[in-house]
Amino acid sequence: MVEEWVKEIVDDVLGPSKMAVGQTLTHPDGRMVYILSGQYWGENGLSNFWSWQEVKPDGSLGPKESGYGWC
């Protein structure tokens, strides 16, 4: 388990993640995406691995994608 003081130091340097499950935000390539799952902090350290789906202009969702967070 990651000690709270370690998280505080990292957040002071990098800032807290702005990503959260259930959030819709802009992917670095300009697409709007809906965050399905993921976490910034894992059980043993920094994770920042997420899964998302593109939100298409008609409101439908694209295929599931995964990768490391960008904000």
Side-chain angles (χ1 to χ4, degrees), residues 7 10-11 15 18 22 27-28 32 45 54 56 61-62 64 66:
K7 292 180 182 181
V10 172
D11 286 348
K18 295 177 179 77
H27 190 277
M32 293 302 294
E54 177 182 5
K56 299 186 182 240
L61 297 174
K64 183 178 174 182
S66 297

Side-chain angles (χ1 to χ4, degrees), residues 6-48:
V6 173
K7 292 180 182 181
E8 289 174 10
I9 291 172
V10 172
D11 286 348
D12 284 347
V13 174
L14 300 178
S17 176
K18 295 177 179 77
M19 297 179 75
V21 174
Q23 183 180 35
T24 300
L25 51 91
T26 305
H27 190 277
D29 66 11
R31 299 176 297 151
M32 293 302 294
V33 297
Y34 176 75
I35 306 299
L36 298 168
S37 63
Q39 60 187 6
Y40 187 64
W41 283 101
E43 187 174 316
N44 297 308
L46 195 61
S47 170
N48 200 25

